[in-house]
Amino acid sequence: MEKVVAVIMVGGPTKGTRFRPLSFNTPKPLFPLAGQPMVHHPISACKRIPNLAQIFLIGFYEEREFTLYVSSISNELKIPVRYLKEDKPHGSAGGLYYFRNIIMEDNPSHIFLLNCDVCCSFPLTDMLEAHKRYSGMGTVLVSAESANQFGELVADPITKELLHYTEKPETFVSDLINCGVYVFTPDIFTAIQEVSTHREDQANLRHLSSFETLQSPTSRALPQDFVRLDQDILSPFAGKKQLYTMSLKCSGLYLAQFRYTSPDLLAGGDGTKSASFVGDVYVHPSAKVHPTAKIGPNVSISANVRIGAGVRLIGCIILDDVEVQENAVVINSIVGWKSSIGKWSRVQASSDADGDYNAKLGITILGEAVIVEDEVVVINSIVLPNKTLNVSVQDEIIL
Amino acid sequence: MKALILVGGFGTRLRPLTLSVPKPLVDFANKPMILHQIEALRAIGVTEVVLAINYQPEVMLNFLQEFEKKLGIKITCSQETEPLGTAGPIALARDKLIDGSGEPFFVLNSDVISEYPLKEMVNFHKCHGGEASIMVTKVDEPSKYGVVVMEETTGKVEKFVEKPQIFVGNKINAGIYLLNPSVLNRIELRPTSIEKEVFPKIAAENKLYAMVLPGFWMDIGQPKDYITGLRMYLESLRKKSSAKLSTGSHFVGNVLVDETAVIGDGCLIGPDVAIGPGCIIESGVRLSRCTIMRGVRIKKHTCVSNSIIGWHSTVGKWARLENMTILGEDVHLGDEVYSNGGVVLPHKEIKSSILKPEIVM
């Protein structure tokens, strides 16, 4: 029987600094998204793959950060989930290669590789079937988006072969972007090894001329065993009938790590209950919401939260143990664990950043245990943990 | 004799350095901040130091074990479960501070550096026979602080005035106190302010005396004052035991270099620089008015002034850092980068210049 394994790249503490200040206390993959740790969503998607033997999480966070989660999710889903710690970052493909022996333990015929911070409907079964039809080395999930924040691909419209790949281009290349979800046959390991060896040879060649070593910026930058999936594998293998693409059919799904308001994802939680809820809202059973509050659309309220009378919440994530006091307004923000929002205060960010990924602060984030005093206004700002705001701020990072 | 050091909160003003270690363990002049105070206390015969903390007790406890042995002084923690203000923690540590001997105990604010003339303070306290003594220091802009109004000759404190609008005096509370055990009876175990609630009562009974602190004083709880404080500290070091300061053609003014640090050729270091253990300063580097923490590598031809470089960071070649640039732990600046007041959080790599003061998350 053909077995399949899935690998989810979770990164490490030195990566994901863009997720600060929320990642100070919690590794980004365990950050709650619609009531579950972020990594739970790709893991649940993997569970739906037929003949799935194991799920591996690969990263360079300390093992103890994941021990509890991994054992509880293995029990819950009745499938082995293991966290494999890299001794140092190897890159998205290098990490896969580093653990190839463990990954190939059960002799899987196919290996799924997912990026942990992707928010997606994960049509993995369809992807596997498409991949078997193309019979290439790998299939990449792509989607039509018009952001240049991601890698862009050009695919043959008929054969679906991956013809060209470029990382974060400055000019328009294609409207198809790399979703960060892949399926490979075990040949991928050979391909990764080829890249490593090639790089070593290049480095050896360069040793002959020290002048060249000084000139070329790329040769000295990456160690031999640091292999990135996108730049080092997709790009060179494009157009060689090795890689194919499958399009994500649903529109309106987001990939950026702060686009938490995917309607599908949030509808998975509890939906509308009464007149005080609008649109998709998730409320944890232990949270208390005053009947005169108006919540939504696109709001997630976590455990033990208290929402006071007359509060208005739009497009926000309220984490555990937060208290939002009477008549406060929170829009397009993330409020960190144990924070307190004072009466009549206003915490917001500019209206939905339409493709404005470059706007540094199109969202307001309050770290853990931040106190916003009564009547204070916080706009487009990031506040680090344990701060008290007693004056209004705008467009600032509060250390 | 015993002492209590008020360590308190999160040290947010010293971020990004305090994102890596709790504030009392941030190095100042190549030593954890709190060690300066503990050593001064031990030197006059204090046998037990209690640290009043409310944040990251595990990290503090590890540190303590190491230093208890080295210094031969007992160090314990008193942990607040809720913030108790400036006096509450003293009440919380009551049992540790009273040993029945009736001896007074010290209370120190952990952000402060000074020459710690504690022996003189003990004598002063015995002479006036009052219940409490506080150190005061003269400042240029008293209205930024709480001013202590006192009788010049005896030092008897009349009152405290918080941020006065008119000139009432130029001495402010330096955060160093010597208290009789009876003071503990005046402090309730709840959030209490020592300046607003406790001291005014003692002053009203004519039992509070203030001594003017000789030498320098600085509250180094924020980067700008940290750098000024280093200048004052090194100046004072020169007056006392200049053997610790570096000499030679590569050095200008007061410079403190750990013996395990390596400095290359053609460098010009100083004035007012501290270089920590294991640092590597490559050739042709210019450093002035800065602190280089443990394990930092500064590559060739770089110029750093008025900045703090956090532990294990690297600064590339031909870089220029100035105007309160603060690098957190493990920050790596590329070659030829210019930073004008960049504040960089830990574990970042910076490849492009920071042209105006900015926080890089």
Side-chain angles (χ1 to χ4, degrees):
Chain A
M1 182 182 68
E2 275 194 349
K3 291 200 191 134
V4 177
V5 296
V7 174
I8 304 178
M9 306 302 285
V10 299
T14 57
K15 283 270 159 198
T17 59
R18 289 175 302 166
F19 212 66
R20 289 170 166 169
L22 300 167
S23 51
F24 281 137
N25 295 44
T26 308
K28 189 178 68 169
L30 298 179
F31 182 77
L33 192 63
Q36 294 281 9
M38 194 185 286
V39 74
H40 184 90
H41 300 284
I43 290 181
S44 311
C46 290
K47 179 80 170 94
R48 299 197 295 260
I49 306 170
N51 303 326
L52 182 73
Q54 290 202 62
I55 301 178
F56 300 99
L57 306 183
I58 296 182
F60 50 98
Y61 287 99
E62 292 299 318
E63 267 140 347
R64 60 178 151 74
E65 310 244 36
F66 280 88
T67 321
L68 271 175
Y69 175 73
V70 157
S71 94
S72 97
I73 195 76
S74 295
N75 274 335
E76 193 187 313
L77 297 181
K78 303 272 182 288
I79 184 161
V81 178
R82 287 165 69 176
Y83 174 69
L84 303 174
K85 178 185 185 302
E86 297 176 87
D87 55 349
K88 57 179 167 104
H90 286 95
S92 38
L96 189 69
Y97 184 76
Y98 184 76
F99 288 112
R100 63 192 179 287
N101 292 328
I102 301 180
I103 293 171
M104 292 301 294
E105 249 170 25
D106 292 309
N107 253 318
S109 57
H110 294 90
I111 303 150
F112 274 93
L113 181 63
L114 287 75
N115 199 314
C116 161
D117 46 3
V118 160
C119 172
C120 167
S121 62
F122 295 115
L124 302 178
T125 317
D126 294 340
M127 249 182 104
L128 188 57
E129 274 165 42
H131 175 79
K132 286 179 182 165
R133 282 198 311 271
Y134 307 136
S135 49
M137 175 179 74
T139 300
V140 185
L141 187 67
V142 298
S143 175
E145 291 272 334
S146 60
N148 60 4
Q149 269 263 325
F150 309 101
E152 291 179 17
L153 308 96
V154 178
D156 184 301
I158 306 185
T159 66
K160 304 292 178 205
E161 193 205 333
L162 175 65
L163 296 175
H164 183 76
Y165 177 87
T166 182
E167 179 77 5
K168 295 189 183 55
E170 284 175 11
T171 57
F172 176 81
V173 171
S174 158
D175 66 349
L176 287 183
I177 63 161
N178 180 356
C179 294
V181 181
Y182 318 82
V183 61
F184 295 112
T185 55
D187 310 332
I188 183 65
F189 295 117
T190 323
I192 299 174
Q193 185 173 43
E194 271 175 29
V195 170
S196 296
T197 323
H198 177 74
R199 193 179 285 154
E200 190 185 1
D201 292 343
Q202 291 283 63
N204 284 336
L205 278 177
R206 289 212 164 85
H207 278 131
L208 297 176
S209 160
S210 60
F211 178 70
E212 270 202 21
T213 328
L214 288 173
Q215 292 283 57
S216 165
T218 49
S219 66
R220 63 170 152 81
L222 295 171
Q224 182 207 333
D225 55 359
F226 190 95
V227 182
R228 299 156 299 182
L229 190 55
D230 303 341
Q231 296 95 314
D232 300 326
I233 306 283
L234 292 191
S235 211
F237 282 91
K240 294 186 178 141
K241 296 209 179 347
Q242 295 265 41
L243 296 173
Y244 290 84
T245 62
M246 190 188 98
S247 282
L248 196 54
K249 291 186 182 58
C250 303
S251 61
L253 288 174
Y254 304 96
L255 299 173
Q257 60 199 21
F258 281 118
R259 292 297 191 103
Y260 48 85
T261 56
S262 160
D264 283 314
L265 222 46
L266 289 180
D270 289 313
T272 52
K273 281 184 191 173
S274 70
S276 52
F277 294 94
V278 175
D280 295 306
V281 175
Y282 169 80
V283 181
H284 191 276
S286 66
K288 292 189 172 36
V289 181
H290 197 278
T292 56
K294 186 169 176 190
I295 316 290
N298 297 327
V299 172
S300 171
I301 296 179
S302 308
N304 296 318
V305 167
R306 291 176 313 290
I307 307 290
V311 164
R312 184 79 182 91
L313 303 179
I314 303 174
C316 47
I317 298 181
I318 311 291
L319 297 175
D320 296 7
D321 302 308
V322 165
E323 182 188 8
V324 182
Q325 295 178 46
E326 291 80 57
N327 306 309
V329 176
V330 182
I331 301 176
N332 289 340
S333 304
I334 303 181
V335 180
W337 309 262
K338 304 194 184 77
S339 291
S340 162
I341 311 288
K343 305 190 200 21
W344 289 286
S345 62
R346 193 175 178 98
V347 177
Q348 77 172 76
S350 336
S351 53
D352 243 2
D354 268 303
D356 195 9
Y357 295 92
N358 293 319
K360 237 202 292 189
L361 304 175
I363 187 165
T364 286
I365 307 177
L366 306 185
E368 185 179 8
V370 166
I371 300 175
V372 176
E373 293 196 348
D374 296 346
E375 297 165 47
V376 164
V377 178
V378 182
I379 301 186
N380 288 344
S381 296
I382 296 180
V383 184
L384 261 64
N386 305 111
K387 293 299 293 188
T388 297
L389 296 180
N390 44 27
V391 291
S392 297
V393 294
Q394 190 167 152
D395 296 310
E396 267 191 65
I397 299 177
I398 310 287
L399 272 195
Chain B
M1 268 187 96
K2 313 227 180 165
L4 177 72
I5 303 183
L6 297 170
V7 171
F10 305 104
T12 60
R13 288 176 306 161
L14 261 187
R15 286 173 169 164
L17 300 171
T18 45
L19 291 173
S20 298
V21 297
K23 190 175 55 170
L25 300 184
V26 170
D27 302 273
F28 176 79
N30 296 345
K31 247 191 260 187
M33 267 166 63
I34 204 170
L35 203 57
H36 291 267
Q37 297 164 331
I38 296 181
E39 285 177 350
L41 291 165
R42 184 174 156 284
I44 61 143
V46 168
T47 51
E48 182 175 348
V49 175
V50 183
L51 305 184
I53 60 177
N54 64 14
Y55 183 59
Q56 292 194 308
E58 330 80 39
V59 183
M60 291 303 298
L61 288 168
N62 282 338
F63 157 82
L64 302 185
Q65 281 163 7
E66 208 191 306
F67 282 94
E68 261 189 323
K69 291 196 190 99
K70 277 196 206 154
L71 297 176
I73 186 172
K74 187 166 172 218
I75 309 178
T76 52
C77 279
S78 167
Q79 192 183 359
E80 295 169 31
T81 44
E82 47 149 357
L84 291 173
T86 46
I90 303 176
L92 186 65
R94 179 192 192 97
D95 294 330
K96 299 199 168 91
L97 296 169
I98 301 193
D99 59 4
S101 66
E103 276 197 315
F105 57 91
F106 283 101
V107 176
L108 271 65
N109 187 319
S110 72
D111 284 357
V112 164
I113 48 135
S114 76
E115 281 173 12
Y116 290 110
L118 302 177
K119 197 138 169 265
E120 289 88 321
M121 195 178 190
V122 172
N123 290 337
F124 173 75
H125 187 81
K126 286 202 181 111
C127 282
H128 67 66
E131 201 182 0
S133 301
I134 67 174
M135 287 280 200
V136 292
T137 182
K138 188 164 136 197
V139 293
D140 291 331
E141 289 182 69
S143 26
K144 289 206 290 198
Y145 307 89
V147 175
V148 180
V149 180
M150 58 195 249
E151 224 175 78
E152 292 295 315
T153 43
T154 58
K156 186 155 74 74
V157 175
E158 289 167 30
K159 58 182 173 175
F160 283 77
V161 185
E162 193 66 17
K163 294 189 179 50
Q165 299 294 325
I166 54 163
F167 184 83
V168 294
N170 58 7
K171 312 282 191 303
I172 62 159
N173 181 357
I176 302 170
Y177 321 132
L178 185 53
L179 311 176
N180 284 352
S182 52
V183 174
L184 285 165
N185 301 329
R186 299 179 184 268
I187 309 176
E188 285 172 35
L189 185 52
R190 58 172 176 81
T192 316
S193 160
I194 203 165
E195 280 180 342
K196 297 195 181 119
E197 297 176 63
V198 181
F199 283 156
K201 288 212 188 83
I202 308 180
E205 293 176 25
N206 296 320
K207 291 182 179 163
L208 178 64
Y209 288 79
M211 175 180 161
V212 180
L213 186 65
F216 71 97
W217 178 89
M218 198 78 221
D219 175 337
I220 53 172
Q222 50 188 350
K224 188 164 67 75
D225 296 332
Y226 178 106
I227 292 189
T228 310
L230 184 65
R231 175 178 60 76
M232 293 171 143
Y233 176 87
L234 292 180
E235 212 174 280
S236 147
L237 206 58
R238 176 166 291 282
K239 289 185 201 143
K240 278 194 258 179
S241 48
S242 53
K244 284 197 193 145
L245 297 173
S246 301
T247 48
S249 54
H250 291 317
F251 300 101
V252 173
N254 300 326
V255 177
L256 188 66
V257 181
D258 186 274
E259 55 191 14
T260 57
V262 173
I263 301 186
D265 305 318
C267 289
L268 188 57
I269 317 279
D272 305 321
V273 174
I275 299 178
C279 287
I280 299 178
I281 314 293
E282 293 185 7
S283 47
V285 167
R286 175 87 183 94
L287 301 178
S288 67
R289 296 181 189 84
C290 55
T291 290
I292 314 293
M293 303 254 186
R294 164 192 300 271
V296 166
R297 175 189 282 265
I298 312 252
K299 294 192 183 168
K300 297 182 195 176
H301 317 297
T302 281
C303 178
V304 180
S305 70
N306 284 308
S307 300
I308 303 177
I309 313 296
W311 312 265
H312 306 293
S313 293
T314 59
V315 179
K317 297 185 224 163
W318 288 289
R320 190 181 175 89
L321 278 57
E322 58 184 20
N323 193 21
M324 296 306 309
T325 288
I326 319 227
L327 306 188
E329 182 187 8
D330 185 42
V331 169
H332 304 277
L333 248 67
D335 294 343
E336 298 144 28
V337 165
Y338 168 62
S339 166
N340 173 13
V343 175
V344 185
L345 266 62
H347 310 297
K348 293 294 293 185
E349 216 179 290
I350 306 288
K351 295 192 187 127
S352 48
S353 293
I354 302 170
L355 299 174
K356 51 180 173 60
E358 199 182 298
I359 297 173
V360 180
M361 298 252 285

